[in-house]
């Protein structure tokens, strides 16, 4: 604690008293915000850990199937089979307010690449039915030069994509919450351990000085009164 370098006057005392009340109110609000951020952060972290385990397990199975496929297939044919896709992923990002933290809400869409989109609604239904009879949905290769392991690996990766994108969104939310919690914690500590104690010590000092000056004034007045009384007696 350190006393502020101010003049011990009543005006300064009133100003510091108002500042102390504001600091205490701000400390309470920031403390409540910190507690709520911590609660949201813990919920997000737990969900993140659960989702990460699901993604890692699904990716592990996909990689096993892909390794089996790569062990059987010709490397050039394998590379050719996985070099093209029928879809591209587009992201639509919106923001939501979570305790003054702007966290992203990401919506992902699969958009057909040129040449793979259905021409009409009826053509789209017939095209999907014909495609499903020849090759797995969403894949740009047929069965002739590929193995079942590759089909299962690609299908598993497509199923995992939604979880993987959700995990990316959740990771960003956790990162933003952690940064704001750290910033809020520093402000709470600054108010709790520096600003408020300094103001309280300064206010105590000013009150002591004002009381001392008041006692000194009363003593002088009593001394002057005694002197006047003595002169009147003479």
């Amino acid at each position: 604690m350190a006393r502020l370098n101010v003049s011990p006057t009543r005006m300064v005392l009133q100003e510091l008293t108002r500042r102390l009340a504001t600091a205490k109110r701000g400390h309470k609000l920031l403390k409540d915000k910190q507690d709520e951020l911590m609660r949201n952060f813990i919920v997000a972290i737990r969900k993140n850990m659960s989702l990460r385990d699901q993604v890692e397990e699904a990716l592990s199975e996909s990689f096993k199937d892909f390794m089996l496929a790569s062990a059987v297939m010709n490397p050039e044919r394998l590379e050719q089979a996985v070099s093209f896709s029928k879809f591209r992923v587009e992201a639509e990002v919106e923001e939501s307010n979570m305790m003054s933290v702007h966290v992203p809400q990401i919506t992902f869409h699969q958009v057909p690449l040129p040449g793979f989109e259905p021409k009409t609604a009826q053509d789209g239904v017939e095209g999907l039915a014909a495609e499903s009879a020849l090759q797995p949905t969403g894949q740009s290769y047929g069965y002739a030069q590929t193995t079942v392991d590759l089909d299962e690996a690609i299908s598993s990766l497509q199923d995992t994509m939604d979880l993987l994108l959700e995990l990316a969104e959740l990771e960003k939310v956790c990162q933003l919450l952690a940064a704001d919690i750290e910033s809020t914690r520093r402000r709470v500590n600054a108010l709790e351990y520096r600003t408020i104690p300094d103001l309280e010590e300064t206010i105590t000092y000013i009150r002591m000085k004002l009381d001392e000056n008041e006692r000194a004034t009363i003593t002088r007045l009593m001394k002057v009164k005694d002197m006047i009384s003595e002169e009147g007696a003479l």
Side-chain angles (χ1 to χ4, degrees):
M1 293 185 298
R3 191 177 71 238
L4 301 180
N5 186 19
V6 295
S7 301
T9 62
R10 295 192 181 277
M11 292 185 61
V12 173
L13 177 61
Q14 292 177 358
E15 177 65 24
L16 293 182
T17 303
R18 286 194 295 267
R19 287 176 56 184
L20 179 61
T22 303
K24 288 184 176 180
R25 186 166 59 251
H27 175 266
K28 182 180 182 304
L29 293 175
L30 287 175
K31 190 68 174 178
D32 293 341
K33 176 184 177 181
Q34 182 183 9
D35 294 340
E36 184 64 18
L37 285 174
M38 284 297 301
R39 188 187 67 81
N40 293 331
F41 180 72
I42 291 174
V43 172
I45 283 294
R46 289 176 177 173
K47 185 178 179 181
N48 185 22
M49 293 176 61
S50 175
L51 190 60
R52 178 178 288 274
D53 291 339
Q54 297 179 34
V55 170
E56 289 180 352
E57 182 179 357
L59 289 178
S60 178
E61 294 297 326
S62 300
F63 292 156
K64 288 179 182 178
D65 293 334
F66 189 79
M67 290 297 295
L68 292 175
S70 62
V72 176
M73 292 182 58
N74 183 287
E76 294 180 356
R77 293 189 181 277
L78 178 61
E79 182 178 357
Q80 183 179 5
V82 299
S83 295
F84 301 97
S85 175
K86 288 187 175 183
F87 302 95
R88 71 172 184 269
V89 178
E90 294 184 352
E92 181 180 349
V93 182
E94 297 180 353
E95 288 187 349
S96 62
N97 194 321
M98 183 183 297
M99 298 299 296
S100 300
V101 181
H102 297 284
V103 297
Q105 289 185 337
I106 309 176
T107 304
F108 297 96
H109 307 282
Q110 282 191 344
V111 180
L113 292 174
F116 293 102
E117 66 274 20
K119 302 303 181 182
T120 63
Q122 184 63 29
D123 293 341
V125 174
E126 295 176 355
L128 289 176
E131 179 186 5
S132 62
L134 296 176
Q135 60 186 38
T137 303
Q139 298 175 5
S140 57
Y141 60 85
Y143 285 121
Q145 304 296 332
T146 59
T147 65
V148 176
D149 294 322
L150 180 61
D151 300 337
E152 292 180 352
I154 297 298
S155 178
S156 178
L157 285 174
Q158 289 176 347
D159 294 338
T160 311
M161 180 61 68
D162 291 338
L163 294 177
L164 191 61
L165 296 176
E166 183 181 355
L167 179 62
E169 175 186 346
L170 200 55
E171 289 276 358
K172 186 61 176 179
V173 170
C174 292
Q175 179 183 355
L176 293 174
L177 287 177
D180 199 75
I181 287 173
E182 179 65 20
S183 175
T184 304
R185 184 184 63 83
R186 287 197 298 266
R187 286 185 287 175
V188 168
N189 290 341
L191 287 171
E192 183 174 353
Y193 298 108
R194 187 61 186 267
T195 303
I196 293 178
D198 290 352
L199 289 173
E200 290 177 341
E201 183 178 358
T202 305
I203 289 173
T204 301
Y205 164 74
I206 292 176
R207 285 175 176 170
M208 291 176 60
K209 290 293 292 184
L210 292 176
D211 292 343
E212 181 181 350
N213 293 338
E214 186 176 356
R215 289 193 297 268
T217 301
I218 293 175
T219 302
R220 286 196 299 270
L221 290 176
M222 293 176 63
K223 185 65 175 176
V224 169
K225 182 179 179 180
D226 293 340
M227 294 175 61
I228 294 176
S229 298
E230 291 178 358
E231 290 180 358
L234 296 176

